[in-house]
Amino acid sequence: MDIKTLFTPLQALHATAYRWWQTGLIYHIYPRSFQDSNGDGVGDLPGITQRLDYLHWLGVDAIWISPVYPSPMADFGYDVSDYNNIHPLFGTLADMDALIAAAHEREIRVILDFVPNHTSDQHPWFLESRASRNNPKRDWYIWRDPTPDGGPPNNWISRFDGQSAWEWDEATGQYYLHSFLAEQPDVNWYNPDLRQAMLDVLRFWFERGVDGFRVDVVYRAMKDRRLRDNPPNPDWQPGMDPSKRLIEQYTKNTAESHQLNRWLRQVADEYEDKLLIGEMNLPLADLTAHYGDNDEFHLPQNTNIPRTEWTAESIRNLANQYDALLDENDWPNWVLGNHDVSRIASRASRAQSRVALMLLLTLRGTPINYYGDEIGMTNVEIPPDRVQDPWEINVPGLGLGRDPERTPMQWSADPNAGFCPPDATPWLPLANDYAQVNVAVQQAQPGSMLLMVKRLIEIRRQSLALQVGSYQSLDTPPGLFAYLRQHEAERRLVVLNFTDRPQRWQPPVALDRLLLSTVMDGEMGRETAVSLRPHEGQLWQLNAT
Ligand code: GLC
């Protein structure tokens, strides 16, 4: 059935003026950790399909699934050896078709991860490329001669160890470039045949019904053509992330990046209503350039909250700065975290995680929720013998490893949290607190974080002010962040207490009704001032203007 025929009347109304990815909530799934359906301790596609009813119940409009393609798993799927297939660990192409169909039946869109910067060193393209200097695919990757003394062509370093980003290939006497692991050679987008092959990957999946892509490290894919050395970073000191030793002037966010964005967008625009999210770990001013003239990314991904101190003042500055930088056609977007950064409930605190979710779901722009954040999952400490992430293995002890935020979803108090059968070993350890912090317990517990988040999503769905309204922050005492959202006469006020102290504040607007407190204890009423308990967020309806 055509997905458009499934809209509720309210959504249909929005659909005329706004796209699904503007009004909707996107839910990010790390597939290894969502649901294991076959007892191997690793999540898979049939597992995701089994859990679609949960996502539908929660009110999710789209899922973004980190890579599920064939891969030697040197970087857990971000090293792709075949873009047009599914890794047997995750299932089959038929499983993906079934997932897409089942998601669409529930009005849930499916977004896949596209990795354009590099392939696996086991991808047939690279095997050919490295076979000989005159192989037709030699130029699909970035090969260079050594310097006269035999060294690498320039000073670029790899993200995952801070060592040279050039790997020597004895057989053909040249170096190849890898921005990440040596098992992840960078491709050459300046080569038209490579470009064509990569763009055809997008078409392959769009034809199968995929609704969009999150495009991995796309801001690194177009390197300086002259391969100029990166300058040293004067702020770097030993003990810091070794890959930050240089300022990445010539390896990321180059002027040519925008050309790549436009190539991708042109392909998306060959189809109807597709979404492109670009991974851009960039400060706001650089990030917002990647909308282009409505011809680059629909959503250059804003990953600034995870890089911002969790205080009312810093988050308010971030939101205000972003709002000021956006042009009329640029649609904002927000994440609290993802598979590469510490979970919000650990970074901010568990007590603050409800406030954080209220922030995510009420700021102007598309919210992208990382799986498990809706129940307050925290980072899990990984014993040394269970470390999986190559970054932690290469650069141990600096806290760079990403396993802690990638642990299995906590579904229930059953053994292995319902993620995999009791006799299976999950690929990463489960949180110690899973018997209390899980979906089943919270679904049945009045006032739980999960029910709070679900209620917030429902309220958001019913409110054009929250979905598409304007944003205006208000002056508050320290420790509070308050903002208005308005669409025509409909107004909402959000007040967030980032502190562990009670707060009282007289807003400059007339309050009508408390719609939701993150504390969820039913204390709702008509008041003239806002009283907040420690770590409380409140969402108010205001008198219509
Ligand atoms: C992106 C992914 C990360 C991966 C890296 C290399 O940053 O989010 O998980 O390791 O790209 O592909």
Side-chain angles (χ1 to χ4, degrees):
M1 189 191 301
D2 180 354
I3 195 163
K4 287 203 200 86
T5 63
L6 296 166
F7 280 124
T8 62
L10 180 68
Q11 286 167 316
L13 179 76
H14 299 177
T16 54
Y18 297 97
R19 314 278 12 128
W20 59 272
W21 48 267
Q22 294 178 297
T23 53
L25 162 66
I26 301 175
Y27 187 99
H28 175 191
I29 293 177
Y30 193 69
R32 296 182 71 90
S33 293
F34 201 57
Q35 178 66 57
D36 172 18
S37 75
N38 61 359
D40 62 2
V42 177
D44 45 49
L45 295 178
I48 298 174
T49 305
Q50 284 169 22
R51 294 297 186 180
L52 284 173
D53 283 336
Y54 164 71
L55 298 171
H56 184 57
W57 169 85
L58 185 60
V60 164
D61 299 281
I63 50 177
W64 148 33
I65 310 173
S66 284
V68 286
Y69 315 106
S71 160
M73 296 285 166
D75 187 22
F76 293 102
Y78 283 98
D79 47 322
V80 179
S81 54
D82 179 358
Y83 286 94
N84 298 355
N85 217 329
I86 299 294
H87 194 300
L89 255 183
F90 297 119
T92 61
L93 270 176
D95 291 328
M96 177 57 91
D97 292 340
L99 168 57
I100 294 170
H104 285 176
E105 272 168 28
R106 293 165 178 81
E107 300 171 31
I108 295 174
R109 300 328 213 264
V110 178
I111 300 165
L112 297 187
D113 217 308
F114 176 55
V115 188
N117 178 69
H118 45 265
T119 68
S120 159
D121 65 344
Q122 299 307 307
H123 195 294
W125 298 344
F126 187 70
L127 296 178
E128 280 187 53
S129 184
R130 96 184 289 177
S132 74
R133 283 198 187 205
N134 50 23
N135 186 281
K137 293 203 173 57
R138 184 67 167 183
D139 186 47
W140 284 33
Y141 292 81
I142 303 171
W143 291 95
R144 288 293 183 279
D145 289 332
T147 55
D149 64 0
N154 68 16
N155 75 346
W156 294 356
I157 52 184
S158 136
R159 273 294 277 148
F160 284 157
D161 60 10
Q163 308 286 320
S164 174
W166 296 93
E167 182 77 2
W168 177 246
D169 182 56
E170 191 61 49
T172 59
Q174 282 191 314
Y175 285 95
Y176 69 84
L177 182 70
H178 59 92
S179 300
F180 294 89
L181 298 171
E183 292 88 346
Q184 295 170 292
D186 286 24
V187 302
N188 177 18
W189 274 88
Y190 295 113
N191 179 296
D193 297 331
L194 174 283
R195 194 153 76 222
Q196 180 71 35
M198 278 289 194
L199 295 176
D200 281 346
V201 171
L202 298 182
R203 295 188 179 99
F204 173 85
W205 290 106
F206 282 144
E207 304 281 340
R208 286 192 106 87
V210 162
D211 301 288
F213 286 94
R214 175 268 193 181
V215 188
D216 185 64
V217 291
V218 63
Y219 66 116
R220 290 177 180 278
M222 301 297 272
K223 284 90 184 101
D224 179 43
R225 270 179 187 259
R226 290 160 54 196
L227 304 184
R228 281 170 284 188
D229 275 358
N230 276 327
N233 176 0
D235 298 329
W236 186 85
Q237 285 168 10
M240 289 167 63
D241 174 352
S243 76
K244 299 268 164 71
R245 209 157 33 84
L246 303 178
I247 293 176
E248 292 196 78
Q249 187 172 339
Y250 296 114
T251 40
K252 71 178 189 191
N253 200 31
T254 58
E256 291 84 356
S257 305
H258 299 281
Q259 177 61 65
L260 170 54
N261 297 349
R262 286 191 290 270
W263 286 327
L264 299 170
R265 178 61 178 266
Q266 282 157 17
V267 174
D269 285 349
E270 291 168 14
Y271 301 83
E272 238 180 74
D273 219 13
K274 304 295 185 192
L275 168 67
L276 289 181
I277 306 172
E279 187 196 11
M280 305 277 168
N281 288 316
L282 296 173
L284 292 173
D286 293 333
L287 171 79
T288 47
H290 290 267
Y291 290 98
D293 193 9
N294 194 22
D295 59 353
E296 299 187 33
F297 279 96
H298 300 99
L299 300 178
Q301 203 176 359
N302 170 17
T303 53
N304 281 281
I305 288 183
R307 287 198 299 268
T308 301
E309 195 193 1
W310 189 257
T311 64
E313 291 68 27
S314 308
I315 298 292
R316 177 177 34 231
N317 285 343
L318 180 71
N320 290 354
Q321 210 195 336
Y322 192 33
D323 199 61
L325 279 164
L326 293 166
D327 284 343
E328 203 188 335
N329 292 323
D330 300 345
W331 193 257
N333 67 94
W334 296 96
V335 301
L336 296 173
N338 59 38
H339 63 299
D340 294 329
V341 293
S342 172
R343 279 193 182 270
I344 185 68
S346 293
R347 212 173 56 245
S349 73
R350 178 159 275 156
Q352 276 289 307
S353 53
R354 291 180 181 224
V355 169
L357 263 292
M358 183 171 268
L359 176 85
L360 178 73
L361 290 163
T362 57
L363 278 173
R364 187 169 92 85
T366 305
I368 306 179
N369 181 67
Y370 188 50
Y371 81 95
D373 281 355
E374 71 276 19
I375 53 171
M377 275 175 66
T378 49
N379 289 352
V380 175
E381 202 179 312
I382 311 292
D385 62 334
R386 297 209 52 189
V387 169
Q388 303 275 347
D389 185 14
W391 204 353
E392 181 66 31
I393 292 169
N394 291 345
V395 193
L398 296 184
L400 298 173
R402 300 163 296 175
D403 295 330
E405 62 264 19
R406 297 178 174 179
T407 60
M409 179 67 179
Q410 295 156 209
W411 293 107
S412 69
D414 294 343
N416 287 330
F419 163 72
C420 60
D423 55 348
T425 306
W427 78 287
L428 280 175
L430 284 149
N432 290 332
D433 62 4
Y434 81 76
Q436 298 82 45
V437 181
N438 66 61
V439 169
V441 162
Q442 294 195 17
Q443 277 181 324
Q445 191 178 69
S448 69
M449 171 140 180
L450 179 60
L451 293 183
M452 190 282 289
V453 172
K454 179 175 159 55
R455 181 74 194 118
L456 198 46
I457 294 170
E458 277 164 12
I459 292 173
R460 188 178 192 278
R461 249 181 207 285
Q462 302 306 320
S463 164
L464 279 173
L466 290 177
Q467 289 185 84
V468 300
S470 61
Y471 158 90
Q472 188 197 337
S473 77
L474 299 173
D475 289 337
T476 59
L480 290 187
F481 176 26
Y483 45 95
L484 292 175
R485 300 292 316 281
Q486 175 161 4
H487 177 79
E488 296 175 358
E490 182 195 333
R491 292 193 304 163
R492 298 285 178 270
L493 170 71
V494 181
V495 193
L496 305 172
N497 183 0
F498 278 64
T499 74
D500 58 4
R501 301 178 306 278
Q503 303 253 14
R504 198 169 166 78
W505 173 57
Q506 181 68 56
V509 285
L511 301 173
D512 180 5
R513 198 160 65 89
L514 180 62
L515 295 174
L516 186 71
S517 154
T518 54
V519 180
M520 285 286 274
D521 60 359
E523 266 189 38
M524 312 244 174
R526 284 170 194 277
E527 300 194 34
T528 50
V530 174
S531 287
L532 292 134
R533 286 160 281 182
H535 308 292
E536 183 178 8
Q538 294 181 354
L539 171 60
W540 287 82
Q541 179 171 300
L542 301 183
N543 292 319
T545 51

